[in-house]
Each structure stands twice: as structure tokens, then as C-alpha cells.
Amino acid sequence: MSGHISLRALVHEALEGIGSRPSRLIITLLGTVLGIASLVATIGFAQTAAGQITQQFDALAATRVTVAPGSTQGPGGKERATSKLPWDAVERVAPLAGIVDAALIGKLPASVRVEAVQVQDPSEPQKSSPPVIAASPALMKVVKGELQTGRFFDSGHDTRRDRVVVLGAEAAQRLGVNRVTGQPAVFIDGRAYTVIGILDAVGTRNNLLDSVIVPLNTARSELSLSTTESLDIRIDVGAGPVVARQAPIALNPNAPDTFKVGAPANSNALQDQVESDVNVLFLAIGIVALIGGGIGIANVTLLSVSERRGEIGLRRALGARTRDIAQQFMLESVTIGILGGLIGVVVGLFALISVCLVQGWTPILAPWAAPVGVVVGALVGLLAGGYPAIKAARVEPVDALRDA
């Protein structure tokens, strides 16, 4: 009698062995399902989280470029500016590709005082004065500001050099101004300036919330502003490198290197770094779960070998080779791993989509994640079933039949 067992018969016997104990199969599958589901879901969560973080980064830092005058170390360790931003800096950079808005910003000396009332009581202690900032009309768009009340000054105010101001929320509280109806005024160096708006929040430059903001040309003519400290530019996402290279040339073609430029890093590099870091964290969790699933398969397969010693002995007595016995148990183990992988992929995808729907995110998952989940499940089954299969193949027919 030939001892050869066909592949079809081997697969049939393996499926019979797996299906003969459905409750044990479910318990065995549970560890692998959880491991593969963790693996697939965490890959998706890592990529989705990286996408969300990158979007938040793009919303602020990735759409902002700052240009400031260069400086050098002067006598006594003091910084000395080596260049100046031109007063028409906004007009010079406006035609550049990728620029949405730009605002020129200057800070007046701390000696410039701001007071809510012109008459002071000598007996009252001297209060600190909020800083005065001069800016172009597009400042609100550049810093993504929101007004609590009133409005921001426009190009008409700036051109006419009107004495108007916008107060940051903290500065308004310090000065006791909480509304703009009735045209309240504050006094800057003894001159009345009408408050036309109160700033509530900003996306960048939080120092504006504790400042008094005046039109740039008003500060030049009324407050002797002689220089500016920064040109803030809002750009399209991804235009940072181009704007950073071209803006200094537009400001001073003869000496572009005299400006300091702050531009966002490449967003793709940031996303890759975030995704890599999150992947390492979550994959560690998935691997631990997979190890648990593999141990479960190995334990159940070993238990199956012990319970089926009589069956193994009978097969050996009827001519089955040790290789056939090993292949059957290996095939059972691999089949359990593949089943766990398939179910785990479905569970992982369901978990990813459910969380994204609840959070309002766009789910992101690499196309290779699902096939890899099934392959990993098969490998876990293969590795977990190796030792039990070898142990089953080494069972002597006489001993097995005697035990049975």
C-alpha cells in the first residue's frame, strides 16, 4: 500500500481537523484576529494621524514666511541691524507666486505711552503701558485674526494717516475699553486715537493680544516710526521654499543675503517623520498582540497533537509518512493563521473607519496593509505550528496505538 497522500486529501484532512472543534477554533482565532486587527488598524491610525497633524501644521506654520533685517554682533554684545525693510515691502513681494497676503510690522519704543484718559491723578501708582505696534492693513489676514467687536483699519485709514487704533483683548482690558460704540479713544503720547476694533484671537503672533495696533503710515507721520522689524507673509501650502528664496531678492536685489528668512520645512518631510514615529509606537502594540496570537495557536496545536495521538498512530500504521503527518498539522496551523488574518483585516478596517467617522477625519490606509495582514497571519500560523508538527511527526505508531 502506497504511503503517498495527495494534496487534496491533505487539505481535506486539515480542514476536518480544524472544523471538528469549532469552539476551540474560535478561541484560537481570537488572538490572531486581535493581533492582525491591531496591526492593520494601527497602520491606518498612524497614517491618518500623521495626515491630521500635517494639516494642522499646514494651517498655521506651513503657510507663514517671515522676513526680518539681518543683524550682527556690535560693541558690548548688542545686536546691530545690517539692513532695513523698505516701506513698500508689501508691494514688492505681492507679485511673487504663492503669496496670499503680506503685512509690514514695526514696534514703537517702550517710551511711547498709551493711556485711557489724558488727565492723570498724581497720587495713583504709575501703570505699565501696553506696547504699540504699527502694521499694514492686511495684518488680520496674515495672522488669521478674529475681532471681538468693531473692525480693523483698512488701506484708506493707512493712506490718510488716520488716528485710529485696534486694541488686543488683553490691552483693551488693561485700558478699560470693552466696546467701540460711542467712538472711545485712547491717548498715545498725549494724542487721542479712536478705537475702532478689539482683537479677540490670532493664529500667530500672540503678542498682538496685549498690544495697541496703529496703521503703519500713521505711526510714521505721528509717532516717528523709523524702521520696521518684520515682514510677515501668508503663502499657499508648499510655496515656502520658493517664497523664501525670491522674497529677499524682491526686497533688495543687490543684497538679498542681508535679510533673515523664516520659512516652513517641507510638509512631506514632516508628514513622513510624524508617520514614522507614530508607526513605531503603534506597531509595537500590534506585534505584542501577534505574539500572543502565535502562542495561542502553538498551545492549541500542541494540545491537538496530544489528543490525537491515537489518530496519528493509526495513520502511521496505515502507511502515512512522517512528512505527511507534519504537513497536515502545519497546514492546520497555517489555515488558522490565514483565517485569523482575514478576519483581523476586516475588524481592523472597520475600527479605522468607525473612529474616522466619529472624529470627522479622512481615513488613510496604504493599499499594501490588507494583504500584508493576511500574509502576517499565515506566517504566524506557520511559525506557531512548526514545533507541534515536528512533535506529531515523531510519534511512534506502536506507542501511539498503545496510549490510545
Side-chain angles (χ1 to χ4, degrees):
M1 180 179 180
S2 172
H4 177 69
I5 299 178
S6 66
L7 178 61
R8 181 177 179 181
L10 194 63
V11 172
H12 177 74
E13 292 292 338
L15 294 178
E16 284 286 340
I18 294 171
S20 62
R21 298 171 180 83
S23 58
R24 181 182 296 176
L25 174 63
I26 293 172
I27 295 173
T28 308
L29 283 174
L30 189 59
T32 308
V33 168
L34 291 177
I36 298 299
S38 299
L39 185 68
V40 174
T42 50
I43 290 174
F45 285 138
Q47 294 174 333
T48 302
Q52 295 301 314
I53 292 171
T54 304
Q55 287 178 15
Q56 295 299 320
F57 175 83
D58 289 342
L60 293 174
T63 56
R64 183 188 180 207
V65 171
T66 59
V67 183
S71 61
T72 185
Q73 200 82 1
K78 294 183 178 181
E79 292 286 332
R80 183 174 59 86
T82 57
S83 63
K84 286 186 178 182
L85 290 166
W87 293 109
D88 60 345
V90 173
E91 290 74 15
R92 293 193 186 193
V93 300
L96 299 180
I99 290 183
V100 178
D101 287 298
L104 197 57
I105 301 171
K107 186 174 182 180
L108 281 96
S111 58
V112 176
R113 293 200 54 78
V114 181
E115 298 162 335
V117 292
Q118 192 171 16
V119 179
Q120 294 290 329
D121 185 353
S123 63
E124 287 187 358
Q126 191 79 2
K127 296 180 180 179
S128 62
S129 174
V132 180
I133 301 292
S136 304
L139 178 67
M140 281 286 288
K141 296 178 181 178
V142 173
V143 301
K144 295 184 181 293
E146 297 178 5
L147 287 172
Q148 185 181 111
T149 184
R151 57 173 295 193
F152 202 77
F153 50 78
D154 56 29
S155 57
H157 293 109
D158 189 50
T159 302
R160 294 190 301 268
R161 296 174 169 80
D162 291 343
R163 291 180 182 174
V164 294
V165 298
V166 174
L167 304 179
E170 297 172 13
Q173 187 175 5
R174 289 170 61 181
L175 294 170
V177 179
N178 54 22
R179 57 186 176 83
V180 296
T181 54
Q183 296 184 331
V186 295
F187 295 88
I188 305 177
D189 277 356
R191 296 173 182 159
Y193 285 75
T194 303
V195 179
I196 62 172
I198 298 176
L199 195 60
D200 185 47
V202 291
T204 58
R205 282 194 176 269
N206 288 326
N207 65 311
L208 293 175
L209 297 178
D210 189 35
S211 302
V212 176
I213 310 167
V214 300
L216 188 67
N217 284 322
T218 301
R220 291 180 64 189
S221 62
E222 301 289 334
L223 301 171
S224 303
L225 179 68
S226 59
T227 184
T228 54
E229 64 174 19
S230 174
L231 174 66
D232 281 27
I233 306 171
R234 187 160 68 92
I235 61 172
D236 293 324
V237 175
V242 175
V243 173
R245 184 172 63 253
Q246 294 181 352
I249 299 174
L251 294 173
N252 189 347
N254 298 321
D257 295 337
T258 58
F259 297 103
K260 294 185 295 185
V261 181
N266 187 289
S267 60
N268 291 331
L270 174 70
Q271 183 172 359
D272 291 342
Q273 180 180 353
V274 172
E275 186 177 323
S276 175
D277 293 342
V278 178
N279 267 329
V280 170
L281 175 63
F282 284 120
L283 284 178
I285 301 173
I287 290 172
V288 170
L290 279 176
I291 292 173
I295 293 173
I297 294 176
N299 285 336
V300 172
T301 308
L302 278 172
L303 182 61
S304 180
V305 170
S306 300
E307 291 180 346
R308 295 161 64 184
R309 282 177 63 84
E311 175 191 336
I312 295 169
L314 181 59
R315 291 178 183 276
R316 291 291 308 278
L318 293 175
R321 298 170 296 178
T322 57
R323 184 174 64 183
D324 296 327
I325 301 297
Q327 287 176 347
Q328 178 183 339
F329 279 90
M330 285 290 290
L331 191 56
E332 289 182 15
S333 183
V334 170
T335 303
I336 293 173
I338 292 174
L339 285 174
L342 288 170
I343 299 172
V345 167
V346 174
V347 172
L349 289 174
F350 179 77
L352 173 64
I353 293 172
S354 299
V355 172
C356 290
L357 285 175
V358 171
Q359 295 293 331
W361 297 344
T362 301
I364 302 173
L365 183 65
W368 49 263
V372 165
V374 178
V375 172
V376 169
L379 289 175
V380 169
L382 182 66
L383 295 174
Y387 174 69
I390 294 173
K391 187 174 181 179
R394 290 178 177 175
V395 172
E396 293 295 332
V398 176
D399 296 334
L401 291 173
R402 185 185 299 116
D403 293 341

